Amino acid sequence: MHKIPSSDITPEHIYRSRRRFLRGIGALALAGLGVAACGDAANPPPALTPGPVSRQTDELGDPLNTYEQITTYNNFYEFTTQKEGVAQLARNFRTSPWTVSIGGLVHKPQTIAIEDILKRYPSEERIYRLRCVEGWSMVIPWLGFPLRKLLADVEPMANARYVRFETLYDPEQMPGQRDRWYTWPYVEGLRLDEAMHDLTILSTGLYGNLLLPQNGAPLRLVVPWKYGFKSIKSIVNIDLVADQPTSLWMAAAPHEYGFYANVNPTVPHPRWSQATERRIGEFERRPTLLFNGYADQVAHLYIGMDLRANY
Ligand SMILES: Nc1nc2c(c(=O)[nH]1)N[C@H]1C(S)=C(S)[C@@H](COP(=O)(O)O)O[C@H]1N2
Ligand SMILES: [Mo]
């Protein structure tokens, strides 16, 4: 197993300079929102180029994927099932105005405008591997903040055990939502302790920019030790609930996609092995790591659980 000391995730010696650097990003991000709000079919917002990142590799030494790769090879079934087609179909997606409602089993339900989320929860950089259940992966320099900060502010009730997330439902803008095979809107869920884990973030950007629509603007979940489909995009509702939510993928193919979806090279998908993966930009396949290389941080969440039965 690879050992990843938590000091490598946010090295102390760059923490202070990173804080300064990210204050700059906060300003940039809000300026960017203005730009996005002005975009329409006739005048789309200008294509963004990558902004600054604090380092060029993840903590295992693997290089970041390029901005181009991350913004042109996407899974976002609300637009299309064709990865190279998402960016074009999503380019005029309206991400402003945008509000996120946090409710269910909480003492302080809230509906917050995305601008206020950006102000209230300063973004930090998190360089994570993203491993899709299909067998490809990338290294992505996200901007975002721990989900637990938002959850603390709404004060979950004692009987809240899971968090349920929903993507926007708007078939006018998202033609893929007319596909009757899936039960829209896209839904995902986490156990409350998974949601409170420090690695679990709500992402607002990547490569120093606000998220583009294809990556789940203006707010998406990122859970790096789970298959990519758990990292739900373009979130409008977050509910604390008592019972395990049924995700879109569980409803579509229950024998193939379970609730946990922890990256695990020893638990094959019914139609393919999960032992190896292809890093986008590389030719040879590489071994897949248990919990996507984050075992030291997250394995304790699953002590005593049968990881094969709870796929
Ligand atoms: N709403 C929504 N969220 C989604 C998806 C989707 O189709 N719809 N696809 C998921 C899958 S399968 C993956 S691998 C990641 C891809 O994220 P990326 O395109 O930003 O790399 O988003 C996940 N989140
Ligand atoms: Mo995926």
Side-chain angles (χ1 to χ4, degrees):
M1 191 190 300
H2 289 249
K3 181 147 174 55
I4 306 166
S6 59
S7 61
D8 275 8
I9 303 282
T10 307
E12 195 55 42
H13 66 279
I14 67 163
Y15 178 76
R16 286 178 174 281
S17 66
R18 183 180 294 181
R19 283 298 290 262
R20 271 198 305 278
F21 149 83
L22 287 165
R23 264 199 298 278
I25 285 188
L28 249 178
L30 288 170
L33 259 183
V35 171
C38 299
D40 58 33
N43 296 297
L48 296 175
T49 51
V53 290
S54 68
R55 47 189 290 178
Q56 299 299 325
T57 68
D58 68 4
E59 80 285 4
L60 302 179
D62 288 324
L64 304 183
N65 281 93
T66 66
Y67 193 62
E68 166 88 12
Q69 289 165 335
I70 298 167
T71 58
T72 59
Y73 188 86
N74 302 103
N75 271 335
F76 203 164
Y77 278 31
E78 283 85 342
F79 292 100
T80 170
T81 57
Q82 298 186 351
K83 292 174 180 51
E84 285 88 354
V86 175
Q88 169 69 9
L89 276 171
R91 75 192 186 290
N92 292 320
F93 182 60
R94 287 190 298 277
T95 57
S96 177
W98 190 280
T99 55
V100 181
S101 295
I102 307 116
L105 301 173
V106 300
H107 293 290
K108 295 191 170 160
Q110 298 191 30
T111 297
I112 320 180
I114 189 64
E115 294 85 346
D116 295 328
I117 292 178
L118 288 167
K119 273 184 243 164
R120 201 184 294 177
Y121 305 101
S123 282
E124 47 187 285
E125 186 187 66
R126 296 284 185 101
I127 297 175
Y128 287 158
R129 294 170 290 287
L130 177 91
R131 186 3 175 122
C132 176
V133 74
E134 298 163 336
W136 55 267
S137 62
M138 296 203 206
V139 180
I140 302 180
W142 299 107
L143 296 172
F145 60 90
L147 172 61
R148 72 174 143 68
K149 292 192 177 177
L150 185 121
L151 294 179
D153 286 348
V154 297
E155 299 179 14
M157 293 177 179
N159 55 343
R161 294 186 53 221
Y162 295 89
V163 186
R164 184 181 185 277
F165 305 84
E166 258 182 32
T167 295
L168 179 72
Y169 179 70
D170 186 356
E172 296 277 316
Q173 289 201 79
M174 297 169 135
Q177 290 182 331
R178 293 179 210 136
D179 181 340
R180 306 287 292 272
W181 177 256
Y182 298 103
T183 51
W184 306 105
Y186 198 100
V187 168
E188 261 306 338
L190 294 173
R191 222 168 54 191
L192 189 53
D193 58 345
E194 297 175 323
M196 297 292 286
H197 194 285
D198 184 64
L199 288 176
T200 303
I201 61 167
L202 285 172
S203 171
T204 54
L206 63 86
Y207 260 112
N209 291 328
L210 284 182
L211 289 176
L212 293 176
Q214 58 266 41
N215 293 110
L219 191 72
R220 63 92 58 85
L221 185 68
V222 179
V223 194
W225 71 94
K226 293 176 178 284
Y227 290 118
F229 67 82
K230 297 295 288 183
S231 293
I232 181 174
K233 295 177 169 179
S234 304
I235 296 169
V236 291
N237 287 311
I238 301 177
D239 283 300
L240 283 283
V241 295
D243 300 320
Q244 184 177 289
T246 301
S247 69
L248 172 139
W249 287 109
M250 291 164 72
H255 303 294
E256 302 194 359
Y257 307 106
F259 177 77
Y260 283 92
N262 291 314
V263 174
N264 191 330
T266 71
V267 178
H269 185 278
R271 292 184 279 130
W272 59 84
S273 165
Q274 294 291 23
T276 65
E277 67 198 59
R278 192 174 71 87
R279 181 65 46 83
I280 297 302
E282 293 181 0
F283 186 67
E284 299 277 350
R285 294 182 74 85
R286 52 165 69 212
T288 285
L289 305 176
L290 180 61
F291 296 114
N292 204 21
Y294 302 97
D296 284 355
Q297 290 100 311
V298 302
H300 69 92
L301 296 170
Y302 309 105
I303 289 168
M305 253 181 65
D306 179 346
L307 296 178
R308 187 168 292 269
N310 295 283
Y311 56 95

